[in-house]
Amino acid sequence: MGISIGKAAERAGLSVHTLRYYEKEGLLPFVDRTPSGTRCFKESDFEGLAMIHCLKNTGMTIRDIHEFVRWSMEGDATLQKRLDMFLAQKKEIEARIEEFQRYLDKIGYKIDYYENAVRIAKQDPA
Amino acid sequence: MGISIGKAAERAGLSVHTLRYYEKEGLLPFVDRTPSGTRCFKESDFEGLAMIHCLKNTGMTIRDIHEFVRWSMEGDATLQKRLDMFLAQKKEIEARIEEFQRYLDKIGYKIDYYENAVRIAKQDPA
DNA sequence: GTAGAACCTCGAGTTAACTCGAGGTCAAGA
DNA sequence: TCTTGACCTCGAGTTAACTCGAGGTTCTAC
């Protein structure tokens, strides 16, 4: 049989509550159930979880991820939509990296400034 | 006289409400008031706003930014604290960029896969 | 066959970061 | 003087993404 929600949560680094929440929000339509209603994760589900993790951490909302998951379940008719989504997300991430690079520069200057200030303050404790 | 909150909001790309909220949370202790109580921004305040923007967009909470702002107002005694904070934030951003790079790779693979799938689907519309 | 752990649903509560609106003040122009 | 628009405070409302707990069921190990 499959992997329990407890094991799955541990492996995915999420809480059991979060996993159930994701399912409620339509992010995990691929997770099976036993006849009695217990969730039953399979190996391949972790692939899907990893993609959800990736999209979420790069700024996508649960709602948008839900839309993507729905497309995935709909089959080949939505291939182009999904491709477009990934292309958009790629741009998003690239822009984000550039932005972060600028912030890194800004903070680098601050660090130079403060290192100097700390050095001077130590030499000359007012 | 100085710059009104309306002009300041426009220039900073924030809403008037947000600016007042930031002040309430202690992020803008450097903003002056007229005798009648109207906020009165000066040129140098935009420097502070830019730093708040930077810290916020690199993942710092309002609460933590507040702490940093308080240190800034306290003078030289907190130089080391502020330096440490910037060093930590630098690490944070670097880690974030690396993470994003990995996500970019992952999404790159997906794009290759989907471009192929879309091409095949067009050649052979089932 | 029973105790206890892990599972289930459902609805309410939490947190961060805004966002809004009511009700009031103030200052500049007609 | 009077109107109008931007400003003020304060408290309540919103949204996203969890997070929790009550009350109940099921499975596993003794």
Side-chain angles (χ1 to χ4, degrees):
Chain A
M1 61 159 294
I3 297 151
S4 74
I5 195 169
K7 299 288 178 196
E10 193 177 350
R11 186 160 149 186
L14 298 167
S15 76
V16 167
H17 279 304
T18 301
L19 233 32
R20 285 203 270 252
Y21 165 70
Y22 281 179
E23 201 211 48
K24 191 168 66 179
E25 295 301 308
L27 265 46
L28 311 175
F30 44 78
V31 173
D32 294 336
R33 299 280 185 133
T34 64
S36 69
T38 299
R39 286 172 193 83
C40 196
F41 290 72
K42 42 194 177 325
E43 280 303 320
S44 66
D45 294 347
F46 291 94
E47 185 61 30
L49 274 170
M51 184 46 73
I52 287 168
H53 180 82
C54 169
L55 295 175
K56 202 179 72 59
N57 282 21
T58 54
M60 228 162 146
T61 63
I62 299 287
R63 181 189 298 267
D64 286 345
I65 297 171
H66 179 200
E67 187 167 41
F68 163 70
V69 170
R70 250 187 296 120
W71 288 341
S72 299
M73 303 307 280
E74 280 173 22
D76 288 0
T78 63
L79 279 175
Q80 185 67 52
K81 279 180 184 179
R82 283 180 275 162
L83 174 55
D84 292 346
M85 191 275 270
F86 278 122
L87 288 168
Q89 196 63 9
K90 185 187 173 191
K91 278 204 175 165
E92 190 67 33
I93 300 171
E94 282 167 348
R96 209 63 162 279
I97 288 176
E98 271 180 44
E99 196 188 354
F100 273 28
Q101 208 63 61
R102 284 197 305 277
Y103 290 137
L104 212 47
D105 290 348
K106 193 182 180 74
I107 284 177
Y109 286 125
K110 279 286 168 182
I111 287 172
D112 289 349
Y113 171 81
Y114 275 97
E115 272 174 348
N116 215 34
V118 166
R119 198 163 38 72
I120 289 168
K122 269 183 189 155
Q123 275 172 9
D124 172 31
Chain B
M1 63 159 291
I3 297 152
S4 72
I5 195 169
K7 299 288 179 196
E10 194 177 349
R11 187 161 148 187
L14 298 168
S15 77
V16 168
H17 278 304
T18 302
L19 233 32
R20 284 204 270 250
Y21 165 68
Y22 281 178
E23 202 211 47
K24 192 169 64 181
E25 295 301 309
L27 266 46
L28 311 175
F30 44 77
V31 173
D32 293 337
R33 299 279 186 134
T34 65
S36 69
T38 299
R39 285 172 193 84
C40 196
F41 289 72
K42 42 195 177 324
E43 280 304 319
S44 66
D45 294 347
F46 291 95
E47 185 61 30
L49 274 170
M51 186 43 74
I52 288 168
H53 180 83
C54 169
L55 295 175
K56 202 181 70 64
N57 282 23
T58 54
M60 227 161 146
T61 63
I62 298 287
R63 181 187 298 265
D64 286 346
I65 297 170
H66 179 201
E67 188 166 41
F68 163 71
V69 169
R70 250 188 297 122
W71 288 340
S72 300
M73 304 305 282
E74 280 174 22
D76 287 1
T78 62
L79 279 174
Q80 186 67 53
K81 278 181 183 177
R82 283 180 274 161
L83 174 56
D84 291 347
M85 190 275 271
F86 278 122
L87 288 168
Q89 196 64 9
K90 184 186 175 193
K91 278 206 176 163
E92 190 66 34
I93 300 171
E94 282 167 347
R96 208 64 163 278
I97 288 175
E98 270 179 44
E99 195 187 356
F100 273 29
Q101 209 63 60
R102 284 198 303 278
Y103 290 139
L104 212 47
D105 290 349
K106 193 180 179 77
I107 285 177
Y109 286 125
K110 278 287 169 180
I111 287 172
D112 289 349
Y113 170 81
Y114 275 98
E115 272 173 349
N116 215 34
V118 165
R119 198 163 38 73
I120 290 167
K122 270 184 185 152
Q123 275 172 8
D124 173 30

